[in-house]
């Protein structure tokens, strides 16, 4: 069964984006497995650290997880009308050394979704990821879009997805992503 790696760009315990990722793993169609990976142990990128000690263990492990998977799902918060630095920092580390980019990311389908307590649903953050996808040679999937706005009404206090409309949209998004991952894997 194709597996995709799902990553939330928030470190917050009560994160809406991590809650959305957990809901995605639950609502994925039976023919797609979503493995939740974490960026919590990724240090700040420092070229001196890389030169002296190489790729940190947490980064190397995540790179191999992505390399072995058939696709990616980024679940992005929106900070200052763009993507969060914490999330970008993790992806910057994952892109090192640059010679590994084709092996780790090259041609993989990637989906991006996100949640915010505000009204915009992470539209700007999702768009801000596009140049990064191009730099990594990823294959972004635009067949459906999922912008979760006013997230405080969509998840309960335990982080469970309680909005039937968003559940339906998420399931449809994942069904579409599953189809492209399946197609890409068959090629
Ligand atoms: C520095 C900062 C900037 C933010 N900027 C935006 C923004 O531009 N648009 C938005 O919808 N929410 C913005 N927010 C609110 C976040 O969407 C909110 O904190 C959200 O809960 C973060 O995602 P999480 O719940 O997964 O941690 C910002 C929050 C912070 C801390």
């Amino acid at each position: 069964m194709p597996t995709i790696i799902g990553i939330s760009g928030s470190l917050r315990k009560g994160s809406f984006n991590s809650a959305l990722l957990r809901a995605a793993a639950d609502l994925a169609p039976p023919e797609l497995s979503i493995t939740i990976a974490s960026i919590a142990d990724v240090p700040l990128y420092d070229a001196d650290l890389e030169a002296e000690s190489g790729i940190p263990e947490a980064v190397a492990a995540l790179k191999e997880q992505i390399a072995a998977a058939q696709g990616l799902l980024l679940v992005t918060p929106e900070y200052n009308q763009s993507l969060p630095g914490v999330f970008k920092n993790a992806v910057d580390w994952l892109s090192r050394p640059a010679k590994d980019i084709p092996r780790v990311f090259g041609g993989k389908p990637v989906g991006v979704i996100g949640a915010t307590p505000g009204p915009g649903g992470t539209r700007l953050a999702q768009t801000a990821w596009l140049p990064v996808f191009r730099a990594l040679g990823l294959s972004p999937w635009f067949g459906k879009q999922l912008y979760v706005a006013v997230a405080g009404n969509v998840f309960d206090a335990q982080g469970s997805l309680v909005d039937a409309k968003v559940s339906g949209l998420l399931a449809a998004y994942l069904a579409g992503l599953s189809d492209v991952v399946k197609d890409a894997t068959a090629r």
Side-chain angles (χ1 to χ4, degrees):
M1 184 193 312
T3 296
I4 65 172
I5 303 299
I7 306 177
S8 163
S10 173
L11 305 180
R12 198 168 73 84
K13 274 201 286 293
S15 161
F16 292 123
N17 287 281
S18 300
L20 182 59
L21 176 55
R22 289 193 302 273
D26 287 345
L27 289 171
E31 62 276 13
L32 180 72
S33 165
I34 299 182
T35 299
I36 295 179
S38 170
I39 59 169
D41 295 327
V42 175
L44 282 178
Y45 181 75
D46 176 346
D48 290 340
L49 175 67
E50 184 183 2
E52 284 155 21
S53 327
I55 305 299
E57 214 174 293
V59 175
L62 190 46
K63 272 175 68 176
E64 293 319 309
Q65 255 190 309
I66 296 169
Q70 286 72 50
L72 265 181
L73 178 64
L74 301 191
V75 188
T76 189
E78 180 171 296
Y79 280 4
N80 293 313
Q81 304 186 2
S82 186
L83 52 85
V86 162
F87 206 177
K88 174 72 159 45
N89 173 72
V91 171
D92 290 341
W93 259 123
L94 292 168
S95 71
R96 299 296 302 162
K99 70 172 170 53
D100 284 355
I101 290 175
R103 179 178 71 82
V104 175
F105 295 104
K108 286 209 163 92
V110 60
V112 59
I113 59 178
T116 168
T122 71
R123 279 175 174 75
L124 296 167
Q126 292 189 33
T127 299
W129 276 104
L130 301 184
V132 181
F133 295 161
R134 181 164 50 204
L136 300 180
L138 284 161
S139 178
W141 179 63
F142 296 133
K144 291 199 183 303
Q145 304 167 22
L146 187 65
Y147 305 114
V148 179
V150 200
N153 294 343
V154 171
F155 299 94
D156 68 13
Q158 287 70 47
S160 297
L161 178 53
V162 290
D163 183 299
K165 186 173 171 210
V166 172
S167 290
L169 291 170
L170 178 57
Y173 183 95
L174 295 167
L177 183 60
S178 174
D179 285 346
V180 319
V181 169
K182 218 174 0 183
D183 287 354
T185 311
R187 278 203 302 271

